PDB file of all heavy atoms in Angstrom:
ATOM      1  N   GLU C   9       3.084  25.807 -13.100  1.00 91.00           N
ATOM      2  CA  GLU C   9       3.908  24.724 -12.692  1.00 91.00           C
ATOM      3  C   GLU C   9       3.632  23.510 -13.585  1.00 91.00           C
ATOM      4  O   GLU C   9       4.486  22.718 -14.065  1.00 91.00           O
ATOM      5  CB  GLU C   9       3.972  24.450 -11.262  1.00 91.00           C
ATOM      6  CG  GLU C   9       4.747  25.581 -10.530  1.00 91.00           C
ATOM      7  CD  GLU C   9       4.544  25.358  -8.958  1.00 91.00           C
ATOM      8  OE1 GLU C   9       3.657  24.559  -8.593  1.00 91.00           O
ATOM      9  OE2 GLU C   9       5.371  25.957  -8.146  1.00 91.00           O
ATOM     10  N   LYS C  10       2.402  23.333 -13.694  1.00 87.00           N
ATOM     11  CA  LYS C  10       1.755  22.151 -14.374  1.00 87.00           C
ATOM     12  C   LYS C  10       2.180  22.274 -15.943  1.00 87.00           C
ATOM     13  O   LYS C  10       2.624  21.369 -16.639  1.00 87.00           O
ATOM     14  CB  LYS C  10       0.226  22.054 -14.258  1.00 87.00           C
ATOM     15  CG  LYS C  10      -0.376  20.994 -15.093  1.00 87.00           C
ATOM     16  CD  LYS C  10      -1.908  20.871 -14.845  1.00 87.00           C
ATOM     17  CE  LYS C  10      -2.557  19.941 -15.779  1.00 87.00           C
ATOM     18  NZ  LYS C  10      -4.011  19.826 -15.684  1.00 87.00           N
ATOM     19  N   GLN C  11       2.126  23.465 -16.470  1.00 80.00           N
ATOM     20  CA  GLN C  11       2.572  23.813 -17.775  1.00 80.00           C
ATOM     21  C   GLN C  11       3.920  23.590 -18.031  1.00 80.00           C
ATOM     22  O   GLN C  11       4.391  23.235 -19.145  1.00 80.00           O
ATOM     23  CB  GLN C  11       2.018  25.284 -18.166  1.00 80.00           C
ATOM     24  CG  GLN C  11       0.654  25.613 -18.205  1.00 80.00           C
ATOM     25  CD  GLN C  11      -0.111  24.786 -19.328  1.00 80.00           C
ATOM     26  OE1 GLN C  11      -0.817  23.877 -18.965  1.00 80.00           O
ATOM     27  NE2 GLN C  11       0.064  25.169 -20.509  1.00 80.00           N
ATOM     28  N   SER C  12       4.757  23.851 -17.081  1.00 77.00           N
ATOM     29  CA  SER C  12       6.242  23.762 -17.223  1.00 77.00           C
ATOM     30  C   SER C  12       6.751  22.263 -16.815  1.00 77.00           C
ATOM     31  O   SER C  12       8.046  22.003 -17.060  1.00 77.00           O
ATOM     32  CB  SER C  12       6.926  24.657 -16.301  1.00 77.00           C
ATOM     33  OG  SER C  12       6.774  24.272 -14.916  1.00 77.00           O
ATOM     34  N   GLY C  13       5.888  21.381 -16.424  1.00 73.00           N
ATOM     35  CA  GLY C  13       6.166  20.039 -16.171  1.00 73.00           C
ATOM     36  C   GLY C  13       6.624  19.922 -14.729  1.00 73.00           C
ATOM     37  O   GLY C  13       7.138  18.918 -14.153  1.00 73.00           O
ATOM     38  N   LYS C  14       6.587  21.139 -14.026  1.00 65.00           N
ATOM     39  CA  LYS C  14       7.046  20.987 -12.552  1.00 65.00           C
ATOM     40  C   LYS C  14       5.784  20.715 -11.561  1.00 65.00           C
ATOM     41  O   LYS C  14       5.276  21.521 -11.015  1.00 65.00           O
ATOM     42  CB  LYS C  14       7.554  22.417 -12.229  1.00 65.00           C
ATOM     43  CG  LYS C  14       8.229  22.481 -10.827  1.00 65.00           C
ATOM     44  CD  LYS C  14       8.851  23.939 -10.657  1.00 65.00           C
ATOM     45  CE  LYS C  14       9.448  24.068  -9.289  1.00 65.00           C
ATOM     46  NZ  LYS C  14       9.966  25.489  -9.081  1.00 65.00           N
ATOM     47  N   ILE C  15       5.595  19.444 -11.614  1.00 53.00           N
ATOM     48  CA  ILE C  15       4.365  18.929 -10.799  1.00 53.00           C
ATOM     49  C   ILE C  15       4.821  18.203  -9.465  1.00 53.00           C
ATOM     50  O   ILE C  15       5.594  17.306  -9.652  1.00 53.00           O
ATOM     51  CB  ILE C  15       3.435  18.106 -11.766  1.00 53.00           C
ATOM     52  CG1 ILE C  15       3.233  18.803 -12.903  1.00 53.00           C
ATOM     53  CG2 ILE C  15       2.241  17.670 -10.986  1.00 53.00           C
ATOM     54  CD1 ILE C  15       2.458  17.927 -14.074  1.00 53.00           C
ATOM     55  N   SER C  16       4.255  18.622  -8.470  1.00 45.00           N
ATOM     56  CA  SER C  16       4.510  18.042  -7.226  1.00 45.00           C
ATOM     57  C   SER C  16       3.688  16.632  -7.226  1.00 45.00           C
ATOM     58  O   SER C  16       2.508  16.707  -7.359  1.00 45.00           O
ATOM     59  CB  SER C  16       4.157  18.827  -6.015  1.00 45.00           C
ATOM     60  OG  SER C  16       4.914  20.035  -5.985  1.00 45.00           O
ATOM     61  N   ILE C  17       4.395  15.621  -7.114  1.00 38.00           N
ATOM     62  CA  ILE C  17       3.753  14.228  -6.906  1.00 38.00           C
ATOM     63  C   ILE C  17       3.844  13.730  -5.455  1.00 38.00           C
ATOM     64  O   ILE C  17       4.919  13.532  -4.953  1.00 38.00           O
ATOM     65  CB  ILE C  17       4.365  13.236  -7.980  1.00 38.00           C
ATOM     66  CG1 ILE C  17       4.347  13.846  -9.315  1.00 38.00           C
ATOM     67  CG2 ILE C  17       3.712  11.869  -7.782  1.00 38.00           C
ATOM     68  CD1 ILE C  17       4.914  12.930 -10.324  1.00 38.00           C
ATOM     69  N   ALA C  18       2.745  13.485  -4.870  1.00 38.00           N
ATOM     70  CA  ALA C  18       2.716  12.921  -3.540  1.00 38.00           C
ATOM     71  C   ALA C  18       3.326  11.499  -3.447  1.00 38.00           C
ATOM     72  O   ALA C  18       3.006  10.712  -4.345  1.00 38.00           O
ATOM     73  CB  ALA C  18       1.184  12.914  -3.015  1.00 38.00           C
ATOM     74  N   ASP C  19       4.101  11.278  -2.558  1.00 40.00           N
ATOM     75  CA  ASP C  19       4.740   9.928  -2.289  1.00 40.00           C
ATOM     76  C   ASP C  19       3.542   9.067  -2.063  1.00 40.00           C
ATOM     77  O   ASP C  19       2.665   9.225  -1.205  1.00 40.00           O
ATOM     78  CB  ASP C  19       5.655   9.928  -1.235  1.00 40.00           C
ATOM     79  CG  ASP C  19       6.884  10.713  -1.655  1.00 40.00           C
ATOM     80  OD1 ASP C  19       7.179  10.863  -2.775  1.00 40.00           O
ATOM     81  OD2 ASP C  19       7.566  11.272  -0.725  1.00 40.00           O
ATOM     82  N   GLN C  20       3.577   7.681  -2.507  1.00 38.00           N
ATOM     83  CA  GLN C  20       2.653   6.718  -2.069  1.00 38.00           C
ATOM     84  C   GLN C  20       2.867   6.324  -0.619  1.00 38.00           C
ATOM     85  O   GLN C  20       4.006   6.098  -0.183  1.00 38.00           O
ATOM     86  CB  GLN C  20       2.795   5.506  -2.927  1.00 38.00           C
ATOM     87  CG  GLN C  20       2.496   5.659  -4.410  1.00 38.00           C
ATOM     88  CD  GLN C  20       2.456   4.402  -5.139  1.00 38.00           C
ATOM     89  OE1 GLN C  20       2.959   3.343  -4.647  1.00 38.00           O
ATOM     90  NE2 GLN C  20       1.821   4.290  -6.239  1.00 38.00           N
ATOM     91  N   GLN C  21       1.665   6.304   0.004  1.00 41.00           N
ATOM     92  CA  GLN C  21       1.842   5.984   1.511  1.00 41.00           C
ATOM     93  C   GLN C  21       1.760   4.526   1.786  1.00 41.00           C
ATOM     94  O   GLN C  21       1.060   3.751   1.178  1.00 41.00           O
ATOM     95  CB  GLN C  21       0.580   6.490   2.132  1.00 41.00           C
ATOM     96  CG  GLN C  21       0.597   8.086   2.319  1.00 41.00           C
ATOM     97  CD  GLN C  21      -0.649   8.490   2.958  1.00 41.00           C
ATOM     98  OE1 GLN C  21      -1.412   7.876   3.369  1.00 41.00           O
ATOM     99  NE2 GLN C  21      -0.626   9.924   3.382  1.00 41.00           N
ATOM    100  N   GLY C  22       2.779   4.006   2.552  1.00 40.00           N
ATOM    101  CA  GLY C  22       2.919   2.661   2.658  1.00 40.00           C
ATOM    102  C   GLY C  22       1.916   2.210   3.711  1.00 40.00           C
ATOM    103  O   GLY C  22       1.536   3.041   4.585  1.00 40.00           O
ATOM    104  N   SER C  23       1.352   1.048   3.667  1.00 39.00           N
ATOM    105  CA  SER C  23       0.405   0.572   4.595  1.00 39.00           C
ATOM    106  C   SER C  23       0.389  -1.020   4.826  1.00 39.00           C
ATOM    107  O   SER C  23       0.918  -1.563   3.812  1.00 39.00           O
ATOM    108  CB  SER C  23      -1.120   1.212   4.203  1.00 39.00           C
ATOM    109  OG  SER C  23      -1.424   0.379   3.018  1.00 39.00           O
ATOM    110  N   GLU C  24      -0.284  -1.404   5.783  1.00 41.00           N
ATOM    111  CA  GLU C  24      -0.219  -2.913   5.833  1.00 41.00           C
ATOM    112  C   GLU C  24      -1.057  -3.534   4.647  1.00 41.00           C
ATOM    113  O   GLU C  24      -0.883  -4.653   4.202  1.00 41.00           O
ATOM    114  CB  GLU C  24      -0.982  -3.226   7.119  1.00 41.00           C
ATOM    115  CG  GLU C  24      -0.278  -2.921   8.317  1.00 41.00           C
ATOM    116  CD  GLU C  24      -0.784  -3.292   9.696  1.00 41.00           C
ATOM    117  OE1 GLU C  24      -1.828  -3.931   9.546  1.00 41.00           O
ATOM    118  OE2 GLU C  24      -0.360  -2.869  10.659  1.00 41.00           O
ATOM    119  N   GLN C  25      -2.008  -2.693   4.109  1.00 43.00           N
ATOM    120  CA  GLN C  25      -2.917  -3.147   3.027  1.00 43.00           C
ATOM    121  C   GLN C  25      -2.052  -3.469   1.760  1.00 43.00           C
ATOM    122  O   GLN C  25      -2.308  -4.332   1.041  1.00 43.00           O
ATOM    123  CB  GLN C  25      -3.899  -2.208   2.728  1.00 43.00           C
ATOM    124  CG  GLN C  25      -4.978  -2.016   3.848  1.00 43.00           C
ATOM    125  CD  GLN C  25      -6.112  -1.127   3.528  1.00 43.00           C
ATOM    126  OE1 GLN C  25      -5.976  -0.281   2.625  1.00 43.00           O
ATOM    127  NE2 GLN C  25      -7.152  -1.018   4.240  1.00 43.00           N
ATOM    128  N   GLU C  26      -1.039  -2.604   1.505  1.00 40.00           N
ATOM    129  CA  GLU C  26      -0.158  -2.770   0.322  1.00 40.00           C
ATOM    130  C   GLU C  26       0.460  -4.097   0.425  1.00 40.00           C
ATOM    131  O   GLU C  26       0.780  -4.747  -0.696  1.00 40.00           O
ATOM    132  CB  GLU C  26       0.868  -1.700   0.210  1.00 40.00           C
ATOM    133  CG  GLU C  26       0.301  -0.396  -0.174  1.00 40.00           C
ATOM    134  CD  GLU C  26       1.465   0.637  -0.522  1.00 40.00           C
ATOM    135  OE1 GLU C  26       2.117   0.370  -1.457  1.00 40.00           O
ATOM    136  OE2 GLU C  26       1.504   1.540   0.371  1.00 40.00           O
ATOM    137  N   ASN C  27       0.949  -4.621   1.556  1.00 41.00           N
ATOM    138  CA  ASN C  27       1.699  -5.829   1.736  1.00 41.00           C
ATOM    139  C   ASN C  27       0.790  -7.142   1.919  1.00 41.00           C
ATOM    140  O   ASN C  27       1.246  -8.129   2.047  1.00 41.00           O
ATOM    141  CB  ASN C  27       2.644  -5.666   2.921  1.00 41.00           C
ATOM    142  CG  ASN C  27       3.678  -4.582   2.639  1.00 41.00           C
ATOM    143  OD1 ASN C  27       4.097  -4.360   1.583  1.00 41.00           O
ATOM    144  ND2 ASN C  27       3.895  -3.683   3.686  1.00 41.00           N
ATOM    145  N   ARG C  28      -0.499  -6.746   2.120  1.00 41.00           N
ATOM    146  CA  ARG C  28      -1.339  -7.835   2.456  1.00 41.00           C
ATOM    147  C   ARG C  28      -1.636  -8.629   1.219  1.00 41.00           C
ATOM    148  O   ARG C  28      -1.880  -8.057   0.196  1.00 41.00           O
ATOM    149  CB  ARG C  28      -2.665  -7.268   3.001  1.00 41.00           C
ATOM    150  CG  ARG C  28      -3.585  -8.404   3.615  1.00 41.00           C
ATOM    151  CD  ARG C  28      -4.836  -7.741   3.911  1.00 41.00           C
ATOM    152  NE  ARG C  28      -4.642  -6.832   5.008  1.00 41.00           N
ATOM    153  CZ  ARG C  28      -5.552  -5.912   5.385  1.00 41.00           C
ATOM    154  NH1 ARG C  28      -6.652  -5.662   4.688  1.00 41.00           N
ATOM    155  NH2 ARG C  28      -5.210  -5.035   6.332  1.00 41.00           N
ATOM    156  N   ARG C  29      -1.408  -9.975   1.255  1.00 42.00           N
ATOM    157  CA  ARG C  29      -1.700 -10.819   0.252  1.00 42.00           C
ATOM    158  C   ARG C  29      -2.714 -11.895   0.530  1.00 42.00           C
ATOM    159  O   ARG C  29      -2.399 -12.689   1.572  1.00 42.00           O
ATOM    160  CB  ARG C  29      -0.370 -11.448  -0.239  1.00 42.00           C
ATOM    161  CG  ARG C  29       0.672 -10.476  -0.754  1.00 42.00           C
ATOM    162  CD  ARG C  29       0.270  -9.921  -2.112  1.00 42.00           C
ATOM    163  NE  ARG C  29       1.328  -9.060  -2.640  1.00 42.00           N
ATOM    164  CZ  ARG C  29       1.233  -7.742  -2.536  1.00 42.00           C
ATOM    165  NH1 ARG C  29       0.405  -7.161  -1.565  1.00 42.00           N
ATOM    166  NH2 ARG C  29       2.233  -7.004  -2.921  1.00 42.00           N
ATOM    167  N   ARG C  30      -3.811 -11.905  -0.061  1.00 46.00           N
ATOM    168  CA  ARG C  30      -4.641 -13.105   0.145  1.00 46.00           C
ATOM    169  C   ARG C  30      -5.477 -13.324  -0.997  1.00 46.00           C
ATOM    170  O   ARG C  30      -5.719 -12.502  -1.850  1.00 46.00           O
ATOM    171  CB  ARG C  30      -5.637 -12.754   1.292  1.00 46.00           C
ATOM    172  CG  ARG C  30      -6.681 -11.694   1.144  1.00 46.00           C
ATOM    173  CD  ARG C  30      -7.435 -11.519   2.400  1.00 46.00           C
ATOM    174  NE  ARG C  30      -8.476 -10.514   2.200  1.00 46.00           N
ATOM    175  CZ  ARG C  30      -9.711 -10.770   1.798  1.00 46.00           C
ATOM    176  NH1 ARG C  30      -9.966 -11.987   1.382  1.00 46.00           N
ATOM    177  NH2 ARG C  30     -10.582  -9.805   1.613  1.00 46.00           N
ATOM    178  N   GLU C  31      -6.006 -14.577  -1.212  1.00 48.00           N
ATOM    179  CA  GLU C  31      -6.864 -14.812  -2.323  1.00 48.00           C
ATOM    180  C   GLU C  31      -8.228 -14.449  -1.960  1.00 48.00           C
ATOM    181  O   GLU C  31      -8.775 -14.697  -1.007  1.00 48.00           O
ATOM    182  CB  GLU C  31      -6.879 -16.398  -2.585  1.00 48.00           C
ATOM    183  CG  GLU C  31      -5.422 -16.793  -2.996  1.00 48.00           C
ATOM    184  CD  GLU C  31      -5.542 -18.309  -3.582  1.00 48.00           C
ATOM    185  OE1 GLU C  31      -6.625 -18.954  -3.428  1.00 48.00           O
ATOM    186  OE2 GLU C  31      -4.498 -18.852  -3.863  1.00 48.00           O
ATOM    187  N   LEU C  32      -8.928 -13.814  -3.001  1.00 51.00           N
ATOM    188  CA  LEU C  32     -10.280 -13.416  -2.817  1.00 51.00           C
ATOM    189  C   LEU C  32     -11.161 -14.546  -3.216  1.00 51.00           C
ATOM    190  O   LEU C  32     -11.016 -15.172  -4.266  1.00 51.00           O
ATOM    191  CB  LEU C  32     -10.633 -12.150  -3.630  1.00 51.00           C
ATOM    192  CG  LEU C  32      -9.861 -10.782  -3.275  1.00 51.00           C
ATOM    193  CD1 LEU C  32     -10.189  -9.835  -4.249  1.00 51.00           C
ATOM    194  CD2 LEU C  32     -10.214 -10.285  -1.939  1.00 51.00           C
ATOM    195  N   LEU C  33     -12.260 -14.513  -2.544  1.00 59.00           N
ATOM    196  CA  LEU C  33     -13.367 -15.513  -2.850  1.00 59.00           C
ATOM    197  C   LEU C  33     -13.972 -15.045  -4.182  1.00 59.00           C
ATOM    198  O   LEU C  33     -13.987 -13.833  -4.542  1.00 59.00           O
ATOM    199  CB  LEU C  33     -14.452 -15.613  -1.767  1.00 59.00           C
ATOM    200  CG  LEU C  33     -13.982 -16.080  -0.388  1.00 59.00           C
ATOM    201  CD1 LEU C  33     -15.065 -15.925   0.640  1.00 59.00           C
ATOM    202  CD2 LEU C  33     -13.575 -17.582  -0.515  1.00 59.00           C
TER     203      LEU C  33
END
């Protein structure tokens, strides 16, 4: 399947961390 380009790609899991926005020290 990999050789043929038929590769299963897992969906990105949504999480609170993806939406979290803060400035790092």
Side-chain angles (χ1 to χ4, degrees):
E9 290 177 340
K10 180 181 176 182
Q11 293 295 105
S12 68
K14 186 179 177 181
I15 304 172
S16 300
I17 302 175
D19 295 332
Q20 290 187 346
Q21 295 181 351
S23 68
E24 292 181 6
Q25 290 180 347
E26 284 187 70
N27 301 318
R28 188 182 300 159
R29 298 288 185 270
R30 71 180 181 87
E31 291 185 2
L32 295 175
L33 298 174

